[in-house]
Structure formats: C-alpha cells, structure tokens
Amino acid sequence: VRLVGGVGDQFDDAVAAPLTVVPAPAGSGKTSLLAGWAGEATMPVAWLSLDEADRDAVQLWTGVIAALETLMPGCGVRASKLIRRPGLLAEAVATLLDDVEAGDHGHTVLIIDDAHLVDVDDIVAASLELFVRHLPSSLHVVLLARRTPRLPIDRLRARGLLADVHFAELRFSHEESCQLLSRLAPALIRDRIDATATHADGWAAGLQLAAIAARSTRAREGLETPTAEDDLLGADYLLHEVLAGEPPGVVDALFHVSVGDRINLS
C-alpha cells in the first residue's frame, strides 16, 4: 500500500517522460511499485518480464512485439518478419517504431522488467538504444533493472526524454519500516522493532526477511536484537538472488575485496 500510495504518486509524474528507468538493487520493491501502479493506471499497460534467454536478440524482440500487440494489435506484423532475417535487426526495430506511431491507440505504457539481464550483449544493447531514443509520443517505456541500463542516460535526461526512480525513493523510512514490522510481526517488542528497522536500512526484502525471522520462537521469547541466525536469511537471499545472477568474474572480485588484509583502526 505504501509503495503504491506514496512512491506511486511520484511515478505518475515520472511516466510523463517517454522513458522511465527504475534502477535499484534486488528486493528494493521495483516490481511491487510497478505492479501496484499498473493496477491503478488509467492508460493501457503491457508487461514483459525478461530472463537470460532473452539475451538472444530475436527472442527479446519477439517478446517486445508480443507485448505491444496486446496494446496495439497488428503493430508488429512487419517487424516480426524482419527480426528473423540476418542483419536486419535495426531495420526491424525502426519498422516497429514506425508502425506504433502510425496507429491511433492513445497513450500506452510498456513495462520491461529485469532489463539488466539482456543488455550485456552489444547487439541487444544497441537495439534497445535505438528503440528508446525514437519512442513515439504515444508510447511510454519503463525499464526495471538492478543497475543503470546500457543507454545514453545523461543525453536522454538532458533532452528531457528520461525520468529516474532510484533506491532512495523506493527505500522505507525508519518510521515506515517500524510500521511494516509491527504489522508483519506483531509479537515484536518496540526495542526489537527499532533495532530491526535500523538493521534493514529501508531495504524492502530485508524487512520482509526480518519479519519472517521475528515470527520464530526466538523472537517470540523476546530477544531484543537480531541474531546471527536471522542474518542468514538475508545472506541466503543475497547468495541466490543477487550473486547467482552476476558473472563469475564479478563474484570473484567481490570475494577478494570483501575482507581486507589490514584494517587501520585510527
């Protein structure tokens, strides 16, 4: 409710730009925000969730076309024939944009979730850049990603074509965190709620995991601070939902810098 009613109001302004980018860490509430907003939106909305298989350009644009077809039937007929022909991806994207612009469908929104999974491929990244740089005035695109997409973000922002919603806007305040924990784990004592809210630091997934841990027997017995076992829930989430999706080289680098050989206490 908080995400839709609070940040969701701000998102109404953000979607006025042709492109809205929501780069924030895993578990920060991106999908919850957009799902809630889409349910209340007054304009038609299509949703496309991506996975690693969509790093293939043909599969990605087949999905984009299918999503747009739910809003504008027939808009992807010509582009669908072109994307499967070698060397014609840019022409296919341009054709799709032309046909979307030619249609009389009013304002529509395309939400693409987990966009960070696909732009590691140079060809896909170039096709996405072409798409968002030439969006028709009637089509708004929202990209949800765990990092800033490989797009000319600064140039688009300077031209007034882009709006951003970052983790700073998504994170829960301390008061909101305490309210949420009180609802999800009503047996928690006030001191434990304050400590847990501080520990989560506004991270939505962290608050959810803390509430699950707080409903355990240990929490009901009145422990006032998070335990090491409670932290394991967050560690498991980071391992399976965050690090598992990163390239091995990134994980290896994080491993080597995570513990310093020497610490200067001064």
Side-chain angles (χ1 to χ4, degrees):
V1 174
R2 173 261 182 190
L3 285 172
V4 177
V7 186
D9 294 338
Q10 176 182 337
F11 189 75
D12 286 331
D13 297 329
V15 81
L19 174 66
T20 301
V21 177
V22 187
S28 56
K30 302 183 296 296
T31 302
S32 296
L33 165 64
L34 268 296
W37 180 87
E40 301 287 337
T42 57
M43 62 187 78
V45 178
W47 189 293
L48 176 62
S49 294
L50 303 180
D51 57 32
E52 289 83 355
D54 293 304
R55 289 172 182 167
D56 175 77
V58 173
Q59 180 158 324
L60 169 65
W61 286 103
T62 298
V64 171
I65 290 171
L68 289 174
E69 285 275 359
T70 65
L71 302 174
M72 298 164 270
C75 70
V77 172
R78 294 198 302 154
S80 294
K81 298 176 181 178
L82 293 173
I83 59 172
R84 300 184 183 280
R85 297 172 61 180
L88 294 183
L89 180 60
E91 182 178 343
V93 174
T95 299
L96 176 63
L97 289 167
D98 288 342
D99 290 346
V100 168
E101 187 169 22
D104 183 16
H105 304 284
H107 291 286
T108 56
V109 179
L110 171 64
I111 299 172
I112 301 179
D113 198 2
D114 286 333
H116 61 279
L117 293 175
V118 300
D119 68 357
V120 294
D121 182 270
D122 292 340
I123 294 176
V124 168
S127 65
L128 283 173
E129 178 178 343
L130 174 64
F131 183 65
V132 301
R133 285 180 58 189
H134 300 283
L135 289 173
S137 59
S138 61
L139 177 62
H140 306 273
V141 172
V142 182
L143 299 180
L144 309 184
R146 294 185 181 181
R147 55 171 173 74
T148 302
R150 287 177 59 191
L151 296 170
I153 295 294
D154 295 328
R155 188 188 319 158
L156 291 168
R157 185 185 294 114
R159 293 172 59 190
L161 301 178
L162 178 140
D164 311 67
V165 177
H166 293 272
F167 180 61
E169 289 79 46
L170 293 173
R171 70 189 305 173
F172 283 70
S173 68
H174 185 79
E175 180 181 357
E176 291 169 335
S177 298
C178 291
Q179 292 175 353
L180 179 63
L181 288 168
S182 296
R183 291 170 55 188
L184 296 179
L188 275 178
I189 60 175
R190 180 65 196 186
D191 287 348
R192 175 67 188 274
I193 288 176
D194 283 333
T196 302
T198 299
H199 194 64
D201 195 27
W203 182 38
L207 290 167
Q208 293 277 2
L209 293 171
I212 293 172
R215 291 197 294 265
S216 67
T217 302
R218 298 187 309 278
R220 288 196 297 271
E221 290 175 351
L223 293 180
E224 297 183 358
T225 57
T227 67
E229 290 184 24
D230 294 342
D231 286 341
L232 287 176
L233 291 176
D236 286 343
Y237 183 91
L238 290 173
L239 176 62
H240 298 112
E241 296 297 327
V242 180
L243 294 180
E246 295 295 335
V250 172
V251 176
D252 187 60
L254 290 173
F255 173 77
H256 283 92
V257 303
S258 62
V259 179
D261 294 329
R262 181 177 180 181
I263 299 176
N264 187 347
L265 296 180
S266 63

